[in-house]
Amino acid sequence: MKRSKNKTVRAMMVAGCVSLLSATGVAKAADSTSPIVIPIHNWSSQIVMAYVLGGMFEKMGNNVEYVPADSQAVYESIRNGDVTISHEVWQSTFGKSFYNAMAKGGVIDAGTHSATTLEEMGVPTWVIEKDLCPGLPNWEALKDCHANFTTPDSDGKGRWLEGPQSWHGDLMPERLEALGLADKWTVKFAGGADALWTELASAKKEGRGTVVFNWTPNFTDADGFTFIEFPPYYEGCRKSDGGDGKCGSPKGWLKKAANYKFPKTHPAAYTAFSKASFSTQQIGQMAALVDTDKMDHKDAAAKWLADNEDLWMPWTK
Amino acid sequence: MSTSAANSSDALIRCDSVYKIFGDQAKSMLESSGGVVDAQKFQEAGCIVGVNNANFEVHQGELLIIMGLSGSGKSTLLRCISRLTDATAGNIYIEGEDILQMNNKQLIELRRNKMGMVFQSFALLPHKTVLENIAFPLQVKGVGTKESITRAKEMVDLVSLSGRENYFPRQLSGGQQQRVGIARSLAIEPDIWFLDEPFSALDPLIRKEMQDEFLRLQGVLSKTILFVTHDFDEALRLADRIAIMKDGVIEQLDTPANIVLNPATEYVRNFTEEVPREKVLKIDSVMDPYDPSEEISDLKVPQDAIIETVAEAVLTAGKPVGVVNQAGEIVGALHASKIISILFGGHANTPDQQNS
Amino acid sequence: MIEALKQKKYLQFILLLIIFVVLCMVIAPSDSNYLWRLPPLIKDLPLAINDSVDFAMFEWMPIEVYDPEIEEFEQKPLLKEVTRVSSGFILFMIELIREILLGGVKTIVAFMGWDWATDNQWARWPALPWTIVAGGAAILGYALNGFRLALFVGLAFTYIAVFGQWEPSMQTLSFVLIAAPVSVFLGLVLGVWAFRSRLVESILNPLLNMAQIVPHFSYLIPVMVFFGIGDHAGAIATIIFATPPMVRLTLLGLKKVPPEVGEAGLMGGCNNWQLLTKVLIPTARRDILIGVNQVIMQCLAMVVIASLIGAKGLGNDLLIALNRLRIGLALEIGVCIVLIAIVLDRLSLAWANKQTDYFADLSFKQRHKYSLMFGAVFVGGVILAGIGSLIFKEGFNYLYLIPHNKGITTENFWQAGVDWIWDTFFYSLKSFNEWLIVEVLLPVKNAYLSMPVAATFVLTMGIGYIVGGIRSALIIGGLLLFIALTEWWDRALITSYLVTVSVMISMTLGIVVGTLCAQHPKSSRFILTYCDTFQTFPSFIYLIPVMMLFGVTDTSVLIAIVVYATIPALRYTVEGLHAVPESLHEAGSMSGVNRLQRWLSIELPVSFPHMALGVNQTVVFALSMVIIGAMIGTDDLGQLILGALSEKNGVGNGLVLGLCVAFIGLAIDQVIRTWANQRKEALGLE
């Protein structure tokens, strides 16, 4: 226990030193030739961004390696040094894993993207167009339309399809309770993102109403997805933080994480990585190249790099 | 195939007080019993007596048959001598060397050069062809592929399987499989040949054919043989001497004729009772000494012929018939009266024995 | 009365049932009532496991290691260094094969270091053109088993290439080519060891049972902690998963070798090693080869799961495709996985059955026929690739490497197929789905959840006692007690409910379809091939269409489980029926039975013990699918195991949850196996 604390302290110190050094412009030592290991998860924007960053590192003369990894488990691997960076740390989905690993030592926070994220319950836009729940996206509309959102196993209530329970625990059931919707709505935990997208697709085919957990930026943005507007989030409003639970999700950050040695072994690459920042729109572009234009992930990354040189070139300097 | 004289100097295999008892406390129980083993008592203690105080010798070139019903310990005794199982107590000498004292390496050497064994269920390697099965003991020994295959080919010819070299065991009949088993056991030209009920799994017709084949081979090869069977007729037909076992004990060990004529125990008598004498006894066991003054028929019979095969000729000859040995010399005379008493007489008038 | 009870088992069961129902009625559902739910006394076990793993991995026996990268000494714990070195070795082997197939720099780096490789950019091993690999594989097939195998292998590789799956397929292949032989080797060694030593056998047996039932997910996390992520970790997880059946079948095969064959080997003068390698193992080859077949199937079945901890290749691509609901693409990838499995299986089988011809007098040309053929293919492949580079100037050369997803695709066709199924069946399926959920699944689930813990114990231990005596009862009690003392009893009940329903459906399907197919050799063969295929075909693929049709509901979970769990039910039914001795059939015919009578009164009873082992395997398969079901969305143990990947106590939680799942399986196994053995003995089958 003690040792891991020491490690955290040291990791912080290292990070601090590095940022100091880079700030004063002294850090010009050459990067190590050992490869920077970038994880590949299973959604488009992340994969394209992995190849974009990899391409950037290669341009700077670094060796790069890609390794498929589970998006939750990857933080433990970064901590151990098996993976060097993670470039899409979503606040509410991966925040917990990220901070867990950081607390154990070995992972550092490498800055935040300019994109803000939102992870919230919502409906496909056509649900609103079909007027299956008049008054949406205001949450109060939910009080009267649950009948359009029932499933065989929901016991006559409307169903919210939430992500796996491991993502946010009992947040959604608690919110239903707090907002007084519990007798009209029930929460079903999906097994994974696949289940969410399948639900969207099959509900659309059937023309059935559905309330699904989703996030933005995401490929679903292109198909039209509207997030429900719950009472605004404020610090401590959630049941688990001692509040009354009558609030929606906050606008979240999208961070970057790195192994604590990365700044030392690859100072130039680390500097570029910490400067790298993508906006919601840019992330959406990357995803769209694959999802809409049906490009290969690598090709999409190459195209994106070629099209946006003036954006990322300065980071490498 | 003559009965060789009992002479300990040419004993190739000698068993001294060999015991084999199965069970966890076999050894300690045996020690405390002082060599007198009561199977009943041992069984109550959870031990099963396989071989109980076996003492005998097998001579160079002799064919000793161990006969007994299932569970009599005959196969166990054979396995003790081949050391496939370790005897619980006693000494087993092969060419004067105690094999129970041999280490694994010596034992392997012994098996590679001196022993061959044929199994009841053939025990061929299913993944190897006829040729490969026969060459197997040679290859294990380290003989090169080419040489071992050439030798195996000779063995194939010896057991009349030419043309089936590349068959797999599953493609052969039982008799053919056992020919492969025989060829395999002979490939290294062993001095001692063990056969564990080699023909028991075969049809009666095939069995007869294989016995003939076996006699032919033995005529050519003259190995020292330990042959296990539960078939008394087979034993009588093939053996130089027979050891009859019951519950691990050798009840009697003698020539076929003596066993038939003088069963040592009630148990042995049960076997011999139904045996037609003429089918077992050889001429030399009923012939009279040759009296040159006596007028004998022109007909001559070999001394090791089975009575039944010559009975009709002797009875119709009208005169006593001369008995000749292998060299063609007259060694005795056979009177029709003896044949008649064998064929039609009761058990009481057994001929006297002069050949032991 | 008591006498009758002692005699008649069904009376005992009725009595047990009565007690059970009474208990269910009298025990009040309240959290403070220990008869209703036991207190979670071993709640902290996962934490303790976690702490010990952390300690062993990150604190135990630190050694000073100089890290040239950051130019300072570091305290590195011994165990971590050891595991990292061993995984480095495995990774090297995988990379070696991979780079022979696909080219690369890692092998060179392993010897020269990254600095050298970076300075010498020319030092890159080039990829083999796909034509050479496909041709080489076809020649191998020809050498081992003639033209038909060659054709099949060649076509399979060509399929993989033209559908643009070359690179991921070769990545997967290189990973399987290490994992499978290692599993076979380990399985053989352990199997032989267990054969030689009763003690080892008795230790291995429960471990093997566990390794087969514990969901693969729960050891993904420890593997990741111990060995890191990457192909080597995937390979290690795969080896853990694929070795148990090999051990089991090796042991089974060796035990079945007739003692006389061993004696024949000894009398032939074999030493121990020769006896083992030349006599026992070859004689046991039928079972051992089934083991090899199982290893290959298991390896390919793990491809997708292994990609979660870093295995590159088809598995990873499949997950990505599914995440975008590209079912057609996923299906093509799935076909590649199955093709690789079949190719490897056929080649290994042909290799094991290869016969030498000692008499052929061969010329140089004949003796080196295959090398010469390969030489020709190699030169031809290079020339073709050269020509290709002249024809295809647009970035990629179809005759060299068909880049990922640049091949032909039938995606639209499959997509249309899925759409057609949806359009045709959805509405009728929907009402069926509603009926199933409302009338069957929910009531069963609620019934399970409303069982007081005391009643559950009485029922299960009672069954154990009636079937197998006090020993079985105690074993079952012990296993369930462990689960009851964790905080996951309710979740375990939901898992049991899913397993119970799906096993019932699977067994019904398996016995009916299996019996029908067993009537004819052709259909038997077909159904066994089907079993092989679906055992390797990644279940993830049909998850999506099933969810489309049945929604994120228990029905979908159930279907996913049933599709997989029916495999052993089918296999064991067909095999069991085939094992009925011919003489019994004849005896039946002579007594004038008709087909149905024969099935009911002869075939079924005689083959039932074997089929019971099928039930056993069905339960195992169902339990192992629980975790895949969790990917749809359940509230059982599987869901928590899935979640354990991201938890602070992931290792401990994952393992304890895995144990809970395994213990359910072992408890059922105890009852069925004991019963089947008794039946077998009664029927004189063993």
Side-chain angles (χ1 to χ4, degrees):
Chain A
M1 279 284 114
K2 206 169 170 198
R3 163 145 245 110
S4 63
K5 248 183 209 146
N6 280 344
K7 265 199 175 161
T8 325
V9 172
R10 185 162 58 180
M12 283 176 168
M13 275 167 56
V14 169
C17 288
V18 166
S19 43
L20 201 72
L21 284 176
S22 55
T24 51
V26 182
K28 275 292 156 216
D31 280 4
S32 156
T33 51
S34 62
I36 299 167
V37 184
I38 304 175
I40 304 262
H41 302 326
N42 59 2
W43 65 93
S44 312
S45 68
Q46 195 275 348
I47 303 173
V48 178
M49 203 194 291
Y51 290 124
V52 164
L53 289 172
M56 181 178 87
F57 291 146
E58 274 173 348
K59 196 87 178 183
M60 297 169 69
N62 284 293
N63 289 307
V64 175
E65 205 175 298
Y66 305 95
V67 53
D70 179 81
S71 52
Q72 295 286 352
V74 72
Y75 300 97
E76 193 63 22
S77 306
I78 298 177
R79 201 172 83 72
N80 286 332
D82 297 320
V83 172
T84 318
I85 61 168
S86 170
H87 50 272
E88 272 196 28
V89 187
W90 290 68
Q91 179 170 11
S92 66
T93 318
F94 307 123
K96 205 168 90 186
S97 305
F98 173 54
Y99 282 121
N100 277 343
M102 223 152 100
K104 284 186 180 174
V107 177
I108 55 175
D109 182 339
T112 311
H113 290 287
S114 63
T116 53
T117 62
L118 179 64
E119 296 165 77
E120 185 59 281
M121 303 301 300
V123 293
T125 302
W126 60 264
V127 167
I128 294 176
E129 283 160 4
K130 267 180 105 175
D131 219 17
L132 289 173
C133 189
L136 276 184
N138 189 322
W139 71 270
E140 308 238 9
L142 295 173
K143 286 176 180 168
D144 300 315
C145 63
H146 63 272
N148 289 333
F149 297 85
T150 57
T151 56
D153 56 352
S154 65
D155 204 14
K157 297 178 182 178
R159 184 178 79 169
W160 283 10
L161 190 64
E162 152 73 310
Q165 204 170 9
S166 55
W167 287 1
H168 342 89
D170 285 331
L171 175 67
M172 293 305 170
E174 280 165 7
R175 187 187 295 176
L176 278 180
E177 195 73 41
L179 293 174
L181 294 170
D183 54 340
K184 292 181 176 142
W185 295 86
T186 177
V187 170
K188 168 93 182 173
F189 294 102
D194 297 8
L196 299 177
W197 314 148
T198 315
E199 169 72 4
L200 282 179
S202 75
K204 184 174 185 181
K205 263 186 180 292
E206 198 188 339
R208 155 173 67 85
T210 186
V211 179
V212 176
F213 174 78
N214 198 353
W215 57 83
T216 181
N218 192 6
F219 74 90
T220 49
D221 295 349
D223 301 341
F225 191 89
T226 309
F227 291 94
I228 297 173
E229 291 163 7
F230 289 99
Y233 174 86
Y234 56 93
E235 195 77 30
C237 73
R238 285 183 173 168
K239 269 259 165 68
S240 54
D241 301 329
D244 60 5
K246 291 184 188 174
C247 60
S249 300
K251 288 261 174 193
W253 43 248
L254 188 65
K255 274 188 178 298
K256 294 161 290 175
N259 178 262
Y260 74 102
K261 281 193 211 165
F262 186 41
K264 275 218 137 183
T265 55
H266 302 76
Y270 177 76
T271 311
F273 180 59
S274 59
K275 282 187 197 161
S277 165
F278 298 104
S279 67
T280 307
Q281 192 210 354
Q282 285 154 351
I283 295 175
Q285 270 174 8
M286 293 182 200
L289 286 174
V290 173
D291 295 330
T292 315
D293 303 347
K294 304 274 179 221
M295 288 178 81
D296 182 62
H297 296 101
K298 276 184 193 162
D299 296 348
K303 181 173 160 47
W304 195 91
L305 279 171
D307 292 351
N308 295 280
E309 279 205 7
D310 39 336
L311 177 75
W312 59 270
M313 270 301 191
W315 297 339
T316 64
K317 298 282 153 40
Chain B
M1 291 179 53
S2 65
T3 316
S4 46
N7 179 345
S8 63
S9 66
D10 71 342
L12 194 64
I13 303 170
R14 188 152 65 87
C15 292
D16 273 354
S17 322
V18 173
Y19 292 89
K20 174 67 194 182
I21 295 163
F22 301 96
D24 294 337
Q25 298 128 35
K27 210 139 196 163
S28 58
M29 275 199 73
L30 185 61
E31 270 158 25
S32 63
S33 73
V36 185
V37 173
D38 179 358
Q40 195 66 39
K41 240 168 72 188
F42 271 66
Q43 192 155 16
E44 278 159 21
C47 291
I48 293 168
V49 178
V51 177
N52 189 349
N53 195 8
N55 290 288
F56 64 94
E57 290 172 349
V58 189
H59 309 292
Q60 184 79 49
E62 185 185 26
L63 199 172
L64 177 73
I65 289 195
I66 305 171
M67 210 292 298
L69 300 182
S70 60
S72 63
K74 55 189 189 306
S75 285
T76 310
L77 178 58
L78 188 76
R79 279 165 174 68
C80 284
I81 298 172
S82 57
R83 238 190 99 177
L84 284 172
T85 174
D86 285 331
T88 315
N91 301 95
I92 299 168
Y93 300 97
I94 287 181
E95 293 183 328
E97 264 193 89
D98 188 348
I99 63 160
L100 294 181
Q101 304 303 322
M102 285 184 178
N103 61 27
N104 207 28
K105 212 172 156 194
Q106 290 169 310
L107 192 65
I108 288 173
E109 251 347 90
L110 182 72
R111 285 176 181 154
R112 283 182 178 177
N113 298 312
K114 297 233 162 98
M115 291 177 169
M117 183 155 170
V118 180
F119 296 86
Q120 176 174 10
S121 62
F122 322 132
L124 301 179
L125 301 180
H127 61 290
K128 289 185 181 279
T129 59
V130 166
L131 210 57
E132 288 167 329
N133 260 293
I134 297 173
F136 179 71
L138 295 165
Q139 290 175 343
V140 161
K141 214 170 133 178
V143 178
T145 307
K146 198 160 187 159
E147 198 187 332
S148 59
I149 292 294
T150 315
R151 170 88 183 122
K153 184 78 187 71
E154 289 167 28
M155 299 310 298
V156 169
D157 294 340
L158 182 70
V159 296
S160 324
L161 276 178
S162 306
R164 295 200 159 77
E165 290 88 349
N166 288 326
Y167 282 41
F168 281 96
R170 60 173 184 276
Q171 297 167 304
L172 299 175
S173 71
Q176 289 168 334
Q177 290 194 38
Q178 195 55 298
R179 281 169 195 267
V180 178
I182 287 172
R184 175 177 66 184
S185 68
L186 291 175
I188 56 145
E189 303 183 38
D191 299 333
I192 304 171
W193 197 13
F194 299 106
L195 297 103
D196 183 16
E197 306 220 24
F199 310 135
S200 303
L202 304 176
D203 296 338
L205 270 180
I206 307 287
R207 194 181 310 160
K208 174 81 175 31
E209 183 191 319
M210 290 297 287
Q211 286 168 355
D212 290 339
E213 176 84 14
F214 171 74
L215 286 172
R216 179 181 72 80
L217 280 174
Q218 174 62 355
V220 180
L221 304 168
S222 298
K223 303 280 179 198
T224 303
I225 298 173
L226 264 178
F227 188 120
V228 167
T229 181
H230 65 254
D231 179 350
F232 192 52
D233 291 334
E234 184 171 72
L236 291 172
R237 185 152 186 253
L238 304 176
D240 290 334
R241 287 194 299 156
I242 302 175
I244 296 183
M245 285 185 78
K246 182 196 172 207
D247 297 338
V249 178
I250 297 179
E251 296 267 314
Q252 186 174 10
L253 198 166
D254 213 329
T255 59
N258 280 350
I259 283 180
V260 172
L261 299 175
N262 292 322
T265 64
E266 200 51 42
Y267 182 74
V268 178
R269 187 184 306 280
N270 285 337
F271 279 108
T272 61
E273 243 162 21
E274 299 303 319
V275 177
R277 302 293 186 267
E278 69 276 15
K279 289 194 168 172
V280 182
L281 299 183
K282 293 174 180 169
I283 298 296
D284 54 8
S285 64
V286 294
M287 69 182 182
D288 296 310
Y290 173 53
D291 176 2
S293 63
E294 190 175 15
E295 186 191 352
I296 57 169
S297 153
D298 296 340
L299 184 70
K300 302 276 185 291
V301 292
Q303 67 175 18
D304 57 357
I306 301 289
I307 291 173
E308 185 192 34
T309 60
V310 295
E312 195 181 351
V314 173
L315 290 179
T316 53
K319 287 180 233 176
V321 175
V323 179
V324 295
N325 63 9
Q326 272 164 337
E329 298 155 354
I330 296 186
V331 292
L334 186 57
H335 293 90
S337 58
K338 287 276 169 111
I339 302 283
I340 290 168
S341 91
I342 291 284
L343 285 178
F344 306 109
H347 295 276
N349 58 354
T350 44
D352 39 307
Q353 312 101 51
Q354 52 272 71
N355 303 286
S356 52
Chain C
M1 175 68 195
I2 289 178
E3 271 314 300
L5 205 56
K6 270 188 185 158
Q7 293 298 318
K8 302 235 166 69
K9 284 213 163 158
Y10 72 90
L11 285 181
Q12 298 173 5
F13 276 116
I14 291 172
L15 181 69
L16 182 67
L17 216 59
I18 294 170
I19 301 176
F20 170 72
V21 172
V22 170
L23 280 176
C24 284
M25 304 222 280
V26 289
I27 296 173
S30 124
D31 282 341
S32 56
N33 184 352
Y34 288 162
L35 291 175
W36 169 250
R37 292 289 186 264
L38 292 178
L41 291 179
I42 54 172
K43 202 169 73 181
D44 295 330
L45 183 66
L47 209 63
I49 294 177
N50 229 54
D51 286 347
S52 13
V53 168
D54 270 3
F55 175 77
M57 204 53 200
F58 301 112
E59 313 208 9
W60 184 60
M61 300 233 339
I63 45 173
E64 288 272 312
V65 177
Y66 181 72
D67 186 342
E69 296 270 320
I70 55 172
E71 292 173 347
E72 56 182 74
F73 279 98
E74 272 201 304
Q75 293 273 346
K76 290 201 175 174
L78 179 70
L79 189 61
K80 189 178 167 191
E81 289 304 291
V82 171
T83 58
R84 288 305 187 272
V85 168
S86 51
S87 48
F89 177 71
I90 298 178
L91 193 57
F92 170 77
M93 296 302 293
I94 296 173
E95 290 290 352
L96 179 67
I97 296 184
R98 185 168 293 168
E99 294 191 347
I100 290 174
L101 295 168
L102 289 171
V105 73
K106 296 265 188 63
T107 311
I108 294 165
V109 165
F111 292 106
M112 309 302 292
W114 275 108
D115 286 342
W116 189 87
T118 311
D119 293 342
N120 298 277
Q121 287 295 330
W122 53 269
R124 295 282 184 280
W125 183 260
L128 283 175
W130 71 265
T131 45
I132 295 182
V133 178
I139 291 171
L140 187 65
Y142 181 64
L144 291 175
N145 201 22
F147 183 68
R148 283 184 58 168
L149 185 60
L151 191 69
F152 172 72
V153 173
L155 283 181
F157 273 79
T158 308
Y159 169 93
I160 289 169
V162 298
F163 275 83
Q165 300 297 344
W166 187 255
E167 198 180 327
S169 293
M170 292 304 112
Q171 286 174 338
T172 294
L173 184 65
S174 57
F175 148 87
V176 172
L177 281 181
I178 295 299
V182 171
S183 303
V184 168
F185 176 76
L186 272 181
L188 268 178
V189 170
L190 288 175
V192 168
W193 197 20
F195 175 67
R196 286 271 158 94
S197 151
R198 216 159 246 291
L199 178 73
V200 174
E201 190 191 341
S202 58
I203 294 173
L204 270 182
N205 235 333
L207 283 182
L208 292 178
N209 282 338
M210 297 257 284
Q212 251 182 315
I213 310 181
V214 171
H216 357 8
F217 267 81
S218 42
Y219 49 77
L220 282 192
I221 315 159
V223 164
M224 204 166 60
V225 171
F226 282 114
F227 297 95
I229 66 169
D231 288 289
H232 57 279
I236 289 167
T238 305
I239 289 166
I240 298 177
F241 181 61
T243 306
M246 185 69 199
V247 180
R248 224 183 261 284
L249 282 155
T250 303
L251 181 60
L252 183 76
L254 288 175
K255 279 189 169 170
K256 281 205 311 211
V257 173
E260 285 204 333
V261 170
E263 290 180 344
L266 280 177
M267 289 311 290
C270 289
N271 56 32
N272 275 339
W273 176 247
Q274 288 171 323
L275 186 70
L276 195 63
T277 53
K278 298 195 168 176
V279 178
L280 295 180
I281 289 178
T283 309
R285 62 200 254 132
R286 224 183 85 83
D287 289 295
I288 290 177
L289 284 178
I290 298 177
V292 173
N293 163 279
Q294 285 300 303
V295 166
I296 291 171
M297 297 297 157
Q298 301 277 73
C299 279
L300 271 303
M302 268 295 273
V303 160
V304 180
I305 310 265
S307 76
L308 290 176
I309 52 172
K312 294 192 183 81
L314 293 169
N316 188 44
D317 287 14
L318 182 79
L319 284 183
I320 294 171
L322 285 181
N323 199 264
R324 287 292 295 111
L325 305 185
R326 293 178 62 175
I327 299 163
L329 181 58
L331 202 71
E332 284 169 8
I333 298 175
V335 170
C336 288
I337 295 179
V338 174
L339 277 179
I340 292 179
I342 300 178
V343 163
L344 290 180
D345 183 48
R346 296 288 183 274
L347 285 178
S348 61
L349 211 64
W351 176 65
N353 287 326
K354 182 113 187 80
Q355 207 185 330
T356 334
D357 187 354
Y358 293 99
F359 295 109
D361 190 14
L362 298 173
S363 65
F364 174 85
K365 218 170 110 188
Q366 283 168 319
R367 254 183 294 142
H368 298 273
K369 183 163 74 173
Y370 303 122
S371 321
L372 290 173
M373 279 165 80
F374 183 73
V377 165
F378 190 90
V379 174
V382 171
I383 293 173
L384 268 180
I387 296 173
S389 67
L390 298 178
I391 305 174
F392 306 108
K393 293 204 166 136
E394 314 208 345
F396 42 84
N397 177 351
Y398 279 110
L399 291 174
Y400 180 49
L401 281 182
I402 301 178
H404 182 40
N405 292 350
K406 291 285 185 322
I408 356 169
T409 173
T410 49
E411 190 180 347
N412 293 335
F413 171 77
W414 296 113
Q415 203 66 51
V418 172
D419 288 346
W420 177 81
I421 291 176
W422 207 93
D423 293 338
T424 322
F425 297 111
F426 180 77
Y427 288 98
S428 40
L429 284 179
K430 191 180 170 187
S431 45
F432 167 73
N433 187 17
E434 265 168 40
W435 170 83
L436 188 70
I437 291 174
V438 176
E439 300 296 329
V440 183
L441 298 182
L442 280 179
V444 176
K445 182 175 173 181
N446 290 332
Y448 267 73
L449 282 171
S450 59
M451 269 192 299
V453 71
T456 314
F457 270 85
V458 166
L459 183 70
T460 50
M461 289 177 72
I463 293 174
Y465 180 74
I466 297 172
V467 171
I470 192 76
R471 188 169 168 273
S472 290
L474 286 179
I475 291 175
I476 292 170
L479 292 171
L480 295 189
L481 186 66
F482 177 86
I483 305 173
L485 290 179
T486 64
E487 51 186 334
W488 298 312
W489 178 253
D490 284 275
R491 301 237 171 200
L493 286 176
I494 297 175
T495 298
S496 313
Y497 131 77
L498 283 171
V499 169
T500 314
V501 177
S502 52
V503 166
M504 279 180 178
I505 300 173
S506 294
M507 278 318 289
T508 315
L509 271 176
I511 289 179
V512 171
V513 178
T515 305
L516 290 177
C517 289
Q519 305 305 322
H520 200 277
K522 244 189 194 151
S523 53
S524 308
R525 237 191 347 266
F526 169 78
I527 207 73
L528 291 178
T529 316
Y530 164 87
C531 288
D532 276 354
T533 314
F534 263 78
Q535 206 178 333
T536 37
F537 191 76
S539 26
F540 295 86
I541 296 175
Y542 46 75
L543 238 47
I544 303 276
V546 167
M547 269 198 278
M548 291 280 283
L549 288 172
F550 295 97
V552 183
T553 59
D554 282 0
T555 313
S556 298
V557 179
L558 211 61
I559 290 173
I561 300 178
V562 164
V563 170
Y564 192 60
T566 306
I567 295 169
L570 271 174
R571 197 193 290 277
Y572 278 77
T573 305
V574 173
E575 286 174 0
L577 289 175
H578 280 180
V580 175
E582 189 58 27
S583 57
L584 273 181
H585 282 292
E586 285 166 0
S589 305
M590 287 314 289
S591 338
V593 292
N594 64 30
R595 245 204 157 119
L596 185 68
Q597 284 170 328
R598 186 166 79 187
W599 184 67
L600 280 176
S601 56
I602 299 175
E603 295 178 343
L604 209 53
V606 173
S607 54
F608 213 69
H610 191 78
M611 285 191 209
L613 295 182
V615 179
N616 215 348
Q617 284 300 303
T618 309
V619 171
V620 170
F621 272 52
L623 279 170
S624 69
M625 271 303 277
V626 158
I627 191 81
I628 308 290
M631 294 193 151
I632 296 173
T634 55
D635 32 19
D636 71 339
L637 294 171
Q639 179 75 82
L640 288 180
I641 296 177
L642 214 55
L645 275 175
S646 64
E647 275 166 31
K648 210 156 134 194
N649 303 327
V651 176
N653 274 353
L655 278 180
V656 173
L657 284 161
L659 282 184
C660 288
V661 174
F663 286 177
I664 296 176
L666 289 179
I668 299 174
D669 173 86
Q670 176 67 30
V671 175
I672 296 174
R673 202 177 286 269
T674 313
W675 181 81
N677 285 345
Q678 285 171 357
R679 286 304 301 162
K680 270 191 181 171
E681 229 164 82
L683 290 170
L685 291 176
E686 245 170 31

